[in-house]
């Protein structure tokens, strides 16, 4: 590619990011005069789990990486030639308006605002790479491609990635019958992915001070899937989701250590399909219960969450990725299943969030008054058992006040 703006839209597993980084590393290693290259993405967490990780893996695999040349504070690598590659986020105004550079790589450009691109572009001397999955139209199509004469575009797909594992190729091609998905992620063409489950969530820089932690969700994984922990906050009538943990191979003791780290005694709602794990984690002092499940509980939970205002912290990289790629399943003829069923595989943090949010719903609105009153009476008649099981303990002066306090706690928590 020779133009100033080098656009690389494409499908999944097309090696867009890896290939661009390989090229930028090669240029930095070949410079006769030192240059500065900036790699920019939507947030620092996104960079650390994406481009920075890929960059280091490339250098290590080729035996180029020298730890002494990596500035971990500023995320800058200095090559033997004196050239540098730096990594920073598009949500840093001082960086956007800071030093000039020779080269720029805007990673997953569709998640970066147009004004950030403009601030970076006017401070870049040589060329600019953009990459993204073309799941929807954004500023590149409306303000760059059709309005400038210095743009070159190449579309990449999984077939351009000669190093791709055959099993991944098969998994991608299994979705050929899904027209919208295949157009975007298979063929790398601009489209609108059909069947996206959640829409309209907003990203927050951080958790506001006035937000209140009300629940913690836990989805178990180990070898093939990650364990996910998501904290749920209430804020101005909305929920804030904050990814706390997302990792494969975590033991129950390690999970418990994570949950006890901030000394929060808020109830943790875990996947009830693993009661032994819940019991073991409880034995370490974690206030944990199993999620309530039943017929259509997943679909009903999704519907409930769709009706809420949801915010996600920008550090919740895996949760954001799941949100953007959580889709309804389609049959072999390309039609949605009836009843609807979500795809599994990229839903671990979403499941954790769903367990937590669904445990906060008031049961009173969903049962008859007689059933509700009966449930309350059964709860009060088994006070000590309920306290032990739910971890509820409140100060009281007499038995009636004690029962009333427990009832208030019970109703407040909606558990």
């Amino acid at each position: 590619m020779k133009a100033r703006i080098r656009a690389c839209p494409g499908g999944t597993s097309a090696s867009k990011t890896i290939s661009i980084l390989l090229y930028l590393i090669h240029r930095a290693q070949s410079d006769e005069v030192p240059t500065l290259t900036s790699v920019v993405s939507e947030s620092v967490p996104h960079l650390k789990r994406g481009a920075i990780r890929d960059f280091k893996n490339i250098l290590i695999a080729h035996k180029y990486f020298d730890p002494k040349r990596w500035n971990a504070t500023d995320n800058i690598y200095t090559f033997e030639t004196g050239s540098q590659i730096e990594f920073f986020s598009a949500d840093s105004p001082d960086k956007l308006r800071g030093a000039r550079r020779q080269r720029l790589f805007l990673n997953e450009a569709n998640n970066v605002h147009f004004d950030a691109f403009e601030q970076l572009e006017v401070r870049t001397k040589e060329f600019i790479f953009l990459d993204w999955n073309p799941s929807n139209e954004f500023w590149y199509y409306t303000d760059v491609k059709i309005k400038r004469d210095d743009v070159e575009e190449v579309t990449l797909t999984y077939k351009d990635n000669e190093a791709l594992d055959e099993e991944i190729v098969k998994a991608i091609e299994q979705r050929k019958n899904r027209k919208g998905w295949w157009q975007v992620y298979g063929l790398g063409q601009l489209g609108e992915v059909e069947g996206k489950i959640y829409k309209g969530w907003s990203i927050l820089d951080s958790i506001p001070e006035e937000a209140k932690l009300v629940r913690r969700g836990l989805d178990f994984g180990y070898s093939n899937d990650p364990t996910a922990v998501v904290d749920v906050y209430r804020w101005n009538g909305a929920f804030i989701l904050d990814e706390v943990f997302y990792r494969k191979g975590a033991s129950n003791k390690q999970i418990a250590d994570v949950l006890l780290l901030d000394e929060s005694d808020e109830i943790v709602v875990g996947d009830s399909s693993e009661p032994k794990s819940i019991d073991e984690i409880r034995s370490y002092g974690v206030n944990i219960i199993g999620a309530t499940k039943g017929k259509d509980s997943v679909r009903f939970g999704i519907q409930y969450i769709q009706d809420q205002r949801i915010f996600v912290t920008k550090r919740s990289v895996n949760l954001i990725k799941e949100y953007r790629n959580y889709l309804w399943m389609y049959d072999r003829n390309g039609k949605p299943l009836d009843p609807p069923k979500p795809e599994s595989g990229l839903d671990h943090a979403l499941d954790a969030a769903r367990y937590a949010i669904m445990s906060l719903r008031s049961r009173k609105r969903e049962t008859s008054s007689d059933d509700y009153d009966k449930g309350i009476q059964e709860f009060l008649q088994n006070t000590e058992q309920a306290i032990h099981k739910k971890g509820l303990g409140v100060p009281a002066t007499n038995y009636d006040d004690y029962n009333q306090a427990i009832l208030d706690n019970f109703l407040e928590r909606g558990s």
Side-chain angles (χ1 to χ4, degrees), residues 89-369:
S89 64
D91 57 7
S92 304
D94 56 327
K95 292 283 190 179
L96 297 179
R97 296 173 176 83
R100 297 181 181 274
R101 66 195 61 80
Q102 279 70 39
R103 302 155 192 162
L104 171 67
F105 173 23
L106 200 55
N107 179 226
E108 297 195 17
N110 55 325
N111 297 324
V112 175
H113 292 298
F114 181 56
D115 58 349
F117 163 75
E118 288 202 305
Q119 292 291 341
L120 292 165
E121 192 261 332
V122 297
R123 290 171 173 81
T124 302
K125 183 178 180 180
E126 294 183 18
F127 59 79
I128 299 158
F129 274 107
L130 313 174
D131 77 345
W132 70 94
N133 293 124
S135 57
N136 58 282
E137 190 174 71
F138 68 106
W139 50 261
Y140 167 76
Y141 297 98
T142 57
D143 295 286
V144 176
K145 182 177 181 177
I146 63 174
K147 295 182 178 181
R148 300 180 60 143
D149 59 4
D150 58 352
V151 180
E152 186 176 358
E153 179 181 313
V154 60
T155 298
L156 302 173
T157 74
Y158 69 100
K159 290 187 176 182
D160 295 304
N161 184 356
E162 65 270 23
L164 192 60
D165 188 275
E166 187 61 31
E167 290 303 312
I168 298 178
V169 172
K170 291 178 180 178
I172 293 171
E173 293 182 343
Q174 287 287 337
R175 293 168 168 80
K176 282 186 175 181
N177 62 315
R178 294 177 47 192
K179 183 178 178 181
W181 190 97
W182 181 248
Q183 180 171 337
V184 173
Y185 294 109
L187 302 178
Q189 301 294 326
L190 178 62
E192 183 71 34
V193 178
E194 84 282 16
K196 191 171 184 295
I197 294 177
Y198 293 127
K199 299 178 181 179
W201 293 12
S202 302
I203 298 177
L204 287 177
D205 286 344
S206 59
I207 300 167
E209 289 187 7
E210 62 272 24
K212 180 183 179 182
L213 178 65
V214 291
R215 222 33 131 242
R216 316 188 77 183
L218 166 62
D219 187 57
F220 292 105
Y222 193 72
S223 298
N224 298 321
D225 298 321
T227 293
V229 177
V230 175
D231 282 352
V232 176
Y233 293 78
R234 284 195 188 275
W235 180 59
N236 292 340
F239 289 115
I240 298 174
L241 309 182
D242 184 42
E243 179 187 314
V244 176
F245 186 77
Y246 195 94
R247 201 181 80 195
K248 293 181 180 179
S251 67
N252 288 333
K253 177 63 168 64
Q254 290 172 321
I255 296 170
D257 289 343
V258 169
L259 294 169
L260 294 170
L261 192 61
D262 62 359
E263 299 182 351
S264 169
D265 193 41
E266 190 51 62
I267 291 177
V268 179
V269 185
D271 184 355
S272 55
S273 65
E274 295 203 23
K276 289 178 66 176
S277 293
I278 289 177
D279 286 344
E280 183 181 344
I281 291 173
R282 185 183 294 120
S283 72
Y284 295 121
V286 176
N287 188 13
I288 185 171
I289 60 174
T292 300
K293 292 187 175 183
K295 183 180 179 181
D296 292 334
S297 61
V298 174
R299 187 159 53 91
F300 183 77
I302 289 171
Q303 291 173 344
Y304 180 79
I305 292 173
Q306 284 174 327
D307 292 335
Q308 312 304 313
R309 287 174 55 224
I310 303 291
F311 293 87
V312 186
T313 59
K314 69 179 181 183
R315 70 178 183 179
S316 303
V317 175
N318 298 292
L319 179 56
I320 292 170
K321 181 178 180 180
E322 291 186 2
Y323 156 72
R324 289 172 174 162
N325 294 277
Y326 196 38
L327 307 173
W328 293 114
M329 291 182 66
Y330 284 66
D331 63 21
R332 65 182 60 189
N333 297 315
K335 296 182 179 180
L337 298 183
D338 186 18
K341 183 179 180 180
E343 287 190 347
S344 60
L346 199 63
D347 53 4
H348 315 293
L350 289 174
D351 282 349
R354 178 168 54 82
Y355 298 149
I357 290 175
M358 292 304 287
S359 73
L360 292 164
R361 288 163 41 255
S362 170
R363 299 293 192 263
K364 187 168 184 177
R365 289 174 296 183
E366 296 157 23
T367 59
S368 68
S369 58

